[in-house]
């Protein structure tokens, strides 16, 4: 159970020692192979930006550009495709096999569109619940995937509740949700496994430019599923130990607040342009990984992410507010008052290599147009 906090002032920064010595099992080895078998698959770019390295006082900075992933404008297609694949394969081998399945989810935008895309391509139905604050263009993009869309008069957590209720009341429906709670963890676990492909690509791309292992990976955080995947990847390897930094909106810092209290809590979220990160409750599946495997967490403002998005665009990386949060978070950690102590906490020096996850593109990004064709 999580404790609901109506007005808890979250600190801007949290750090802990010992995270780099914590270990966990790796993701399944066949995830990357599954994605590589999909028509249209290609690794997303890992772009080196020397000007950012100079600004941040480190050796090298790379941005993992997820603005076009399997024909969609965000990394979410990795988790949704693997989870839907596993779900439908399991149903095909059981007494539940039959007609089309309705894939139900709640979303701040990109996850719902990814689930809807998979449903359409595989001849299934989709029903997507969208909370308040999601841009109409994002809602329209979900509807364009032939999904039924229900707009919820409430926040993300309320949309998740209504999606779960809909599944309970709908025959041949299954919830494909990227957050977990007690009793609902297997499918969110598959979604997390799907994100392993992103980190496998980073390993290969860094090796190709002789960059070695990263010293820091910055991850934008909503409910924590991508951060869980990052922890799984970097805490299950025998060599090297990257520092892991989570970045959230200051109006929705549920993970940072939970880390500070050493227990999962729900915070009341506000309005933010980082809509995909506007989540008040950490996933129960992710929480143990975040608690023990993250080195630090930081909260940033909408203005921070807007500046970062503009700067990334000027450097040739199309990034929306959520994707640019990683740069905003690293800037907040490595510059300004107290930066020396924060650098020490992250074990960073002038030769360090940083990887920033830019998890989404911009609405104007022409690479958003694309179609994934499945056999």
């Amino acid at each position: 159970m999580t404790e609901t906090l109506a007005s808890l002032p979250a600190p801007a920064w949290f750090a802990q020692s010992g995270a780099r010595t914590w270990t966990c099992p790796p993701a399944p080895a066949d995830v990357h192979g599954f994605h590589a078998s999909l028509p249209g698959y290609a690794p997303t770019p890992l772009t080196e930006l020397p000007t950012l390295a100079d600004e941040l006082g480190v050796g090298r900075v790379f941005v993992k550009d997820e603005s076009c992933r399997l024909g969609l404008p965000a990394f979410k297609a990795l988790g949704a495709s693997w989870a839907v694949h596993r779900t439908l394969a399991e149903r095909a081998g059981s007494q539940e096999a039959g007609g089309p399945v309705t894939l139900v989810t709640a979303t701040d935008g990109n996850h719902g569109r990814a689930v809807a895309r998979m449903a359409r391509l595989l001849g299934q139905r989709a029903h997507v619940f969208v909370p308040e604050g999601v841009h109409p263009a994002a809602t329209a993009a979900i509807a364009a995937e032939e999904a039924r869309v229900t707009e919820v008069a409430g926040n993300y957590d309320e949309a998740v509740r209504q999606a779960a209720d809909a599944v309970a009341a709908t025959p041949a429906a299954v919830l494909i949700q990227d957050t977990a709670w007690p009793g609902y963890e297997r499918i969110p676990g598959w979604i997390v496994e799907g994100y392993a492909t992103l980190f496998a690509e980073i390993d290969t791309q860094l090796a190709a430019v002789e960059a070695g292992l990263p010293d820091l990976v910055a991850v934008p955080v909503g409910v924590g599923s991508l951060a869980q995947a990052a922890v799984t990847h970097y805490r299950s390897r025998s060599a090297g130990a990257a520092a892991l930094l989570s970045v959230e909106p200051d109006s929705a810092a549920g993970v940072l607040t939970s880390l500070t209290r050493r227990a999962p809590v729900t915070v009341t979220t506000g309005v933010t342009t980082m809509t995909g990160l506007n989540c008040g409750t950490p996933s129960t599946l992710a929480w143990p990984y975040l608690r023990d495997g993250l080195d630090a967490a930081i909260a940033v403002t909408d203005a921070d992410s807007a500046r970062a998005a503009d700067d990334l665009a000027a450097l040739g990386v199309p990034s929306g507010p959520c994707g640019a949060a990683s740069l905003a978070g690293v800037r907040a950690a490595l510059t300004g008052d107290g930066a020396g102590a924060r650098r020490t906490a992250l074990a960073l020096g002038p030769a360090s290599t940083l990887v920033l996850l830019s998890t989404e593109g911009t609405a104007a990004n022409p690479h958003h147009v694309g179609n994934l064709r499945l056999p």
Side-chain angles (χ1 to χ4, degrees), residues 299-348:
V300 298
T301 67
D302 283 357
D304 293 333
S305 73
R307 177 193 165 208
D310 288 344
D311 291 344
L312 287 171
L315 294 169
V317 178
S319 183
C322 296
S326 58
L327 173 56
V330 168
R331 277 175 164 162
L334 303 188
T335 63
D337 293 342
R342 293 189 293 271
R343 285 175 180 268
T344 298
L346 296 170
L348 298 180

Side-chain angles (χ1 to χ4, degrees), residues 6 67 69 72 87 130 146 183 185 193 211 226 230 275 305 321 338 370 373:
S67 62
R69 170 66 78 174
L72 292 174
T87 298
V130 178
E146 302 177 9
E185 294 184 329
E193 288 175 1
L226 181 60
T275 53
S305 73
R373 296 283 185 260

